[in-house]
Amino acid sequence: MTAPGLRGRKKAETRRRLAAAAVDLFSERGFDAVTMQDVAAAADVGSRTVFRYFVDKAELVFADEAVVDEELRQVLRKEPAQVDAWSAVEAALVKLTDLWADQRREGVRRRRLVTGSAALTARHLVKLDRHAEVIAEELVARGAAREAARVIGRCAAAAFDCAVDRWLDDPQVSLAEALQDALDVLRH
């Protein structure tokens, strides 16, 4: 990916600032007690700015998911063509752990929000399905059969999700280690 210009960096910074303000407010007051206007005020922007970046409150909690999907696509595309589908996905997921390696505290906060809200739990499941679909699309592009790609995508997304849960629960385990353990379960 090419580096964004000044405008792109400003947009990304505004998006990050809005998401951070929202997570802070949601953590303090609860997801249902915060409005988009509250987020705008906390981030010192107008309400329309929030809606320009996010269609709803739940999206604020999962603000980085488009970046994750794009990174997943890019990492999978870089895997050599001769590598089988499952091995390519494993390698890609291991590389993605670097995105979260220093985000444990933030991850714990977000997980509390998600598990405390039915709307956020539902959005989390949609997010997992989207990650699985990204994996499947990339595998099909590599020549995998559609159904096999869907199964691999869903298993891989679930393994990653379980690894994140373990990592958030156990400070002694790195995300990469938790992921490797989850993938080992699927391999056997």
Side-chain angles (χ1 to χ4, degrees):
M1 282 170 57
T2 61
L6 178 61
R7 186 169 188 241
R9 288 191 308 272
K10 284 185 173 188
K11 282 183 156 192
E13 177 53 35
T14 299
R15 189 172 172 80
R16 274 190 297 277
R17 195 172 43 142
L18 288 167
V23 169
D24 287 345
L25 288 173
F26 297 154
S27 295
E28 291 170 18
R29 300 183 198 167
F31 179 73
D32 293 330
V34 176
T35 66
M36 294 288 265
Q37 290 73 21
D38 295 333
V39 173
D44 198 29
V45 298
S47 294
R48 290 192 324 190
T49 299
V50 180
F51 284 104
R52 224 176 287 132
Y53 286 89
F54 299 97
V55 290
D56 62 24
K57 289 192 317 182
E59 192 177 339
L60 284 155
V61 176
F62 301 107
D64 60 348
E65 292 309 310
V67 172
V68 172
D69 285 343
E70 184 56 30
E71 189 69 21
L72 183 55
R73 283 184 195 286
Q74 295 303 318
V75 172
L76 271 169
R77 288 175 183 168
K78 290 178 183 173
E79 287 301 310
Q82 66 272 19
V83 173
D84 68 272
W86 182 252
S87 296
V89 170
E90 282 189 65
L93 292 177
V94 169
K95 289 174 186 169
L96 284 180
T97 62
D98 291 343
L99 289 175
W100 291 282
D102 62 348
Q103 300 292 319
R104 180 182 304 224
R105 192 184 119 154
E106 188 62 25
V108 169
R109 286 179 64 196
R110 286 177 192 253
R111 184 173 63 172
R112 279 190 201 123
L113 289 173
V114 170
T115 59
S117 165
L120 292 177
T121 298
R123 183 64 65 95
H124 175 73
L125 295 174
V126 168
K127 171 192 76 136
L128 284 178
D129 196 49
R130 187 174 55 243
H131 293 332
E133 190 57 33
V134 166
I135 292 169
E137 288 170 4
E138 291 305 316
L139 292 179
V140 168
R142 293 171 59 90
R146 178 78 182 132
E147 193 55 34
R150 290 183 73 214
V151 169
I152 291 170
R154 287 191 177 172
C155 288
F160 198 89
D161 193 46
C162 289
V164 169
D165 282 345
R166 180 175 172 216
W167 171 64
L168 294 176
D169 287 338
D170 185 354
Q172 303 304 312
V173 176
S174 72
L175 179 54
E177 181 183 358
L179 176 62
Q180 201 57 61
D181 290 347
L183 293 172
D184 285 347
V185 168
L186 290 174
R187 220 178 287 115
H188 296 95

